[in-house]
Amino acid sequence: MAATNIQPWDILRDYLKSNDSEGLNRFLSELSGEDGLRAFMRLDSDEQQKVLERVSPEAAAEVFEFIPDEPAAELLEELHPQVAASIISEMSSDDQADVLGELDPEDLEEILRYMDERDAGDARQLMAYDEDVAGGLMMTEYFSYPKMYRAGSVLNDLQRREDEYELNNVLYIYVTDRSRQLLGVCRMRDIVFSSPDVRLSDIFRPAISVLDTATLDELENFFDDNNLSAVPVVDQNKRILGVVRRRAVYDAVAEVSETDHLKSQGIVGGEELRSMPTIVRSRRRLAWLSVNILLNVLAASVIAQFQDVLQAVIVLAVFLPIISDMSGCSGNQAVAVSMRELSLGVIKPQDFYYVWRKEAVVGLINGLVLGLLIALVALVWQGNPWLGLVVGFALSLNTLIAVSIGGTVPVILKRFKIDPAVASGPILTTITDMCGFFLLLGSASLLLPQLTGN
């Protein structure tokens, strides 16, 4: 008889039912981070709470490392503040700040009250920064020593503090003066292979640093240009505040891109996991879909006004979705460029006319090319040059309209403090559909005798 395929989440449930906390901890530690997350997320919310309450804070923190910030915060809010604080305390400072920043103020204060005073202070410092600047991405776990320290003293201190930080974070030793101003950096190998009596002032090298206000794009460019695993973060007075890891920057870039993509697809909030409550997931999606259906009805009403034209020239129905889809693609390209330039700071909300002018030129060129292509298709297929003229004209002009709207709508929305990632798509789709349908059917009604041969 074939062996039963027992899934990891079923094993977690068995440990919960038998109240075996030791086995629960051991099993979670045997799973890889992603496998542990997958098993944990297959449990319902009550089971997840029981797991977090019964495993060690270290094991729970490892699971939380892979959970997006918003769902992680929701899990913490359901735990007793003391349990939540013990889990948070086992996370790196940058991850702490990300998750704590998603909590309600009341829950946040309760959890911070149970945390070590120094850890709570560090968390408050990091949460004061925007999440997409160096200060918000940095971690406060790093090693720094005065320049007169000797290499042997540094190694002795590291041995005493072995459990304080993860070993993979100890790649560099930063050298400072009495006011914590960054003077330079020593690699670990510089310390290990130097004479114990050598002073740091004799072996440190100049350190590259970034300001705590450096943006995510600036950090991404920095790590693209420099083969470093981490960079120290300093304030305006060159005092070291923390360290930003390369991995943290690239993870943040990927998260922003993923969030924007989810928003553009109608996932309100930009984050959804199937382990979230069904009602919450349904409500978030319907918030976008219910509006979108009304916008589509509005666009379809244009077709209803030209029923007689469609009945007379039924072949036009074939070109309606083509013009709608092609114009939408052109508009979405313009949306993507505007979103990117807004994130980089290349354009500002007041640059409406500049954006429109640049997109209009591209729209004219692409509209003419696409219009000519679709006109040739119509001519070869039906042998009617008037049909080619109608569909070519409609696609050409609607492409110009689509890129104009796609380029400028994100700028307008940004000016009114509306999230462009969520709202640009529905607005673009509705207007381009309405204009495309009107241009095709309206021009066809004017040339109806030529199209029908009557």
Side-chain angles (χ1 to χ4, degrees), residues 194-436:
S194 294
S195 168
D197 295 327
V198 170
R199 296 186 186 276
L200 297 182
S201 58
D202 295 326
I203 59 173
F204 80 77
R205 60 187 66 190
I208 304 174
S209 62
V210 296
L211 284 172
D212 55 345
T213 54
T215 66
L216 184 58
D217 290 302
E218 290 171 341
L219 291 170
E220 182 182 15
N221 291 335
F222 173 86
F223 281 111
D224 286 344
D225 296 336
N226 296 275
N227 186 26
L228 298 172
S229 62
V231 61
V233 179
V234 298
D235 62 16
Q236 294 286 349
N237 297 316
K238 299 298 182 183
R239 287 193 297 263
I240 186 168
L241 302 174
V243 174
V244 170
R245 294 173 293 176
R246 174 189 290 268
R247 189 191 73 183
V249 170
Y250 289 150
D251 285 349
V253 171
E255 184 178 345
V256 169
S257 176
E258 180 181 349
T259 299
D260 285 345
H261 175 70
L262 289 171
K263 287 180 179 179
S264 70
Q265 300 305 306
I267 303 298
V268 178
E271 215 166 64
E272 179 182 319
L273 295 175
R274 291 187 174 88
S275 59
M276 296 169 68
T278 302
I279 294 298
V280 173
R281 295 175 58 220
S282 175
R283 186 176 67 245
R284 286 185 171 190
R285 294 192 185 189
L286 284 173
W288 186 83
L289 293 172
S290 56
V291 173
N292 210 39
I293 195 171
L294 296 176
L295 295 175
N296 276 284
V297 169
L298 186 63
S301 66
V302 175
I303 300 177
Q305 301 300 315
F306 293 93
Q307 289 185 60
D308 294 342
V309 176
L310 270 177
Q311 289 173 353
V313 191
I314 193 65
V315 72
L316 291 173
V318 175
F319 290 96
L320 284 173
I322 296 176
I323 291 175
S324 173
D325 181 67
M326 291 302 301
S327 300
C329 289
S330 297
N332 282 322
Q333 290 175 331
V335 168
V337 175
S338 287
M339 292 290 294
R340 179 59 174 164
E341 290 190 336
L342 283 169
S343 68
L344 291 172
V346 174
I347 59 173
K348 300 293 182 183
Q350 58 266 31
D351 294 328
F352 172 89
Y353 177 71
Y354 166 80
V355 172
W356 175 79
R357 181 165 51 85
K358 287 291 188 178
E359 286 298 334
V361 175
V362 175
L364 281 171
I365 296 172
N366 289 2
L368 288 173
V369 173
L370 294 174
L372 179 60
L373 289 174
I374 196 69
L376 289 173
V377 170
L379 176 61
V380 172
W381 181 33
Q382 293 293 315
N384 188 334
W386 294 103
L387 177 65
L389 176 64
V390 167
V391 296
F393 166 76
L395 182 55
S396 295
L397 189 52
N398 207 42
T399 298
L400 172 60
I401 294 171
V403 297
S404 298
I405 294 170
T408 57
V409 162
V411 178
I412 296 171
L413 294 174
K414 190 75 172 179
R415 184 166 191 170
F416 289 98
K417 302 187 185 304
I418 301 173
D419 191 345
V422 175
S424 296
I427 293 174
L428 171 68
T429 300
T430 302
I431 297 178
T432 53
D433 283 356
M434 290 179 65
C435 291

Side-chain angles (χ1 to χ4, degrees), residues 18-242:
S18 60
N19 203 26
D20 185 355
S21 297
E22 183 179 341
L24 197 61
N25 273 285
R26 185 174 60 253
F27 180 67
L28 270 179
S29 66
E30 292 171 353
L31 294 175
S32 67
E34 291 185 355
D35 287 341
L37 174 64
R38 179 167 176 257
F40 180 78
M41 286 306 197
R42 286 298 187 95
L43 305 177
D44 62 39
S45 57
D46 289 338
E47 291 170 332
Q48 289 176 351
Q49 295 299 317
K50 291 177 181 177
V51 168
L52 294 175
E53 290 168 353
R54 296 180 186 181
V55 299
S56 67
E58 295 85 358
E62 288 181 10
V63 174
F64 268 82
E65 182 181 350
F66 295 90
I67 303 177
D69 298 334
E70 184 182 342
E74 291 174 356
L75 284 169
L76 288 175
E77 287 174 344
E78 297 299 322
L79 294 171
H80 187 281
Q82 187 171 8
V83 176
S86 66
I87 296 173
I88 286 288
S89 297
E90 295 299 325
M91 300 167 66
S92 62
S93 57
D94 51 346
D95 290 335
Q96 286 180 5
D98 291 341
V99 175
L100 291 173
E102 296 290 339
L103 293 170
D104 292 333
E106 188 175 323
D107 294 316
L108 172 63
E109 292 304 321
E110 279 293 307
I111 292 175
L112 289 175
R113 190 163 62 86
Y114 283 100
M115 290 177 62
D116 176 80
E117 186 175 343
R118 179 179 176 182
D119 289 343
D122 288 342
R124 291 183 190 277
Q125 177 191 355
L126 295 180
M127 285 188 293
Y129 289 98
D130 291 335
E131 60 182 15
D132 57 352
V133 300
L137 293 168
M138 71 181 179
M139 56 190 299
T140 56
E141 295 90 347
Y142 63 93
F143 288 97
S144 66
Y145 296 93
K147 64 179 181 179
M148 299 310 293
Y149 248 57
R150 300 182 186 276
S153 300
V154 171
L155 290 176
N156 290 335
D157 186 67
L158 290 175
Q159 290 173 353
R160 287 195 301 268
R161 301 163 65 184
E162 180 182 1
D163 297 332
E164 190 171 341
Y165 306 125
E166 296 177 3
L167 183 61
N168 59 8
N169 289 334
V170 189
L171 299 176
Y172 307 103
I173 301 298
Y174 299 104
V175 183
T176 59
D177 61 16
R178 292 182 178 180
S179 61
R180 286 182 39 239
Q181 279 194 331
L182 180 65
L183 300 177
V185 61
C186 292
R187 296 175 300 178
M188 275 302 301
R189 60 177 296 171
D190 296 332
I191 305 292
V192 172
F193 295 110
S194 294
S195 168
D197 295 327
V198 170
R199 296 186 186 276
L200 297 182
S201 58
D202 295 326
I203 59 173
F204 80 77
R205 60 187 66 190
I208 304 174
S209 62
V210 296
L211 284 172
D212 55 345
T213 54
T215 66
L216 184 58
D217 290 302
E218 290 171 341
L219 291 170
E220 182 182 15
N221 291 335
F222 173 86
F223 281 111
D224 286 344
D225 296 336
N226 296 275
N227 186 26
L228 298 172
S229 62
V231 61
V233 179
V234 298
D235 62 16
Q236 294 286 349
N237 297 316
K238 299 298 182 183
R239 287 193 297 263
I240 186 168
L241 302 174

